[in-house]
Amino acid sequence: MKKHVFIAIALVSYSLVHAQEASEKIKEISKKACECISKIDINEEKKIKSKEIKFCISAASTGYQLKESLSKMVSKTQDTLNKIEDVSKIDSLVIGKEDINVIDSDENYKEVEAYLYDNCSVLNDVYFTDNTEHDNSFSDRKKALRFYEIGQIAFQRQNYKKAISNYKKAVKADRKFAFAWDNLGYSYRKTGDYKKAINCYNKSLSLDPKGKMPLMNIAVAYQLNNDIKNAKKAYETYKGYYANDPEGFYGLGRIYYIEKDYEAALDNMIKAYYLYKEMNSPYNIDAQKHISFMYKELKDANKLDLFNRVAKKHKLNVNIQE
C-alpha cells in the first residue's frame, strides 16, 4: 500500500524581500542562478531540468556565501595587521573557529526561487520548452531546415515577424515538419494572433497527437482566445497522455479558479502542487499562491469547510500564516 505523505504549506502573501540589504543579496544570487539556468539543455526531461535549476540556485547561494566569508576574513586579517607595529616579526596568523562561517547551500533558497520565478525570463523558456522528438518532428529536407533555423534565431531575438515568415517557408517546404508548425504557432501566440496559433498547433497534432508542446500550448491559446470549453478539453487531453506532468492539472486549476468552481480548482491545483514538489520544480510557488488565494476567498465567504474537505482528501496539511 502506498504510504500517505503529509505536506504542510504556508499560505502567506509572498514577499520576496523583507529588508533592503536582503534584497540586494537575493538579487545578486538570483542573477548568477539565472545565468546558470540559461545554460541548461532545454531538451532534457522536466525532472532533470528541475534538478539542474535547483543546483543553479544552490551553487549561486554557496558562491555568494563563500565570497562574503572570504571578504570578511580578508578585512579582519587586514585590520589585525594594521594594529601590529612590526609586521616583519609575524610568522603566521591563526584564524579562530569563530571566524569561519558555515556554508549552507539552502540558505535563502525559497526567496531566490521566488525572485527567479518573477524576474528570470529564461526560466520559463528552459522549463516549458519540450523538444521531445517523434517521427515527424524534424524534416529531412534541407530547404525546410534552413528556413527553420533562421526562424529559430529570429524567435530567440524576439523578432516574431521574421520568425513567422521563415517558419511559414519551412512548413511550405515540408508540410509534415511538426516542430516548424509548433514554433509557428508559438510565434503567432506571441503576437496575439491566437486563432492562427491554434490552427498551427492543430496541424502539428494531426502529425503527432501526443506532442507535448502543441498539446499544452493549444490549451493556453484557447484560453487566451476566451474559448474556455476547448481549453478545458485540451488540458484534459494533456492529462490523459501525461498524468505525471503537473501542467495539465495546473491549467485546469486556473480555469476552474477563474470560474469560481473552487472544489474543482483546488482538486487540480493541489495535485499540481504535489507533482511540482515531487520534481523540485520552482513552479510549486505558483500552485501555492493559487491555493493561498482560494483559501482567503473561501474564508471571506465563510466556506472554509469546502477548502478543508478538499485539502483533507489530498492529505494536505495547511500551515496558516496570516
Side-chain angles (χ1 to χ4, degrees), residues 79-91:
D79 186 56
T80 301
L81 290 172
N82 289 338
K83 293 176 182 177
I84 298 173
E85 293 183 5
D86 189 353
V87 179
S88 63
K89 294 179 180 180
I90 304 299
D91 293 324

Side-chain angles (χ1 to χ4, degrees), residues 142-233:
K142 291 182 180 180
K143 187 177 180 180
L145 286 171
R146 185 170 70 251
F147 287 128
Y148 177 76
E149 292 301 328
I150 296 172
Q152 290 288 80
I153 294 169
F155 185 91
Q156 289 169 4
R157 293 174 178 171
Q158 298 183 350
N159 186 344
Y160 302 121
K161 184 177 180 180
K162 184 176 180 179
I164 288 170
S165 174
N166 282 280
Y167 289 140
K168 284 173 71 176
K169 291 174 183 176
V171 295
K172 186 176 181 180
D174 186 351
R175 306 296 291 179
K176 293 184 177 181
F177 193 171
F179 277 2
W181 282 116
D182 291 341
N183 287 294
L184 178 57
Y186 199 11
S187 299
Y188 277 129
R189 202 186 105 191
K190 286 286 189 179
T191 63
D193 197 334
Y194 306 127
K195 287 185 178 180
K196 286 185 179 179
I198 291 165
N199 181 58
C200 291
Y201 294 137
N202 276 322
K203 293 280 188 181
S204 179
L205 290 170
S206 70
L207 297 168
D208 176 23
K210 295 183 181 180
K212 265 192 170 184
M213 195 275 200
L215 272 176
M216 176 52 59
N217 280 282
I218 198 170
V220 175
Y222 275 131
Q223 190 172 350
L224 290 170
N225 202 42
N226 295 315
D227 187 347
I228 302 304
K229 182 179 178 181
N230 278 313
K232 283 182 182 177
K233 284 183 180 179

Side-chain angles (χ1 to χ4, degrees), residues 248-264:
F249 295 102
Y250 175 78
L252 279 171
R254 281 193 63 185
I255 289 178
Y256 284 122
Y257 172 59
I258 292 169
E259 294 182 329
K260 302 300 179 184
D261 184 345
Y262 290 109
E263 185 160 0

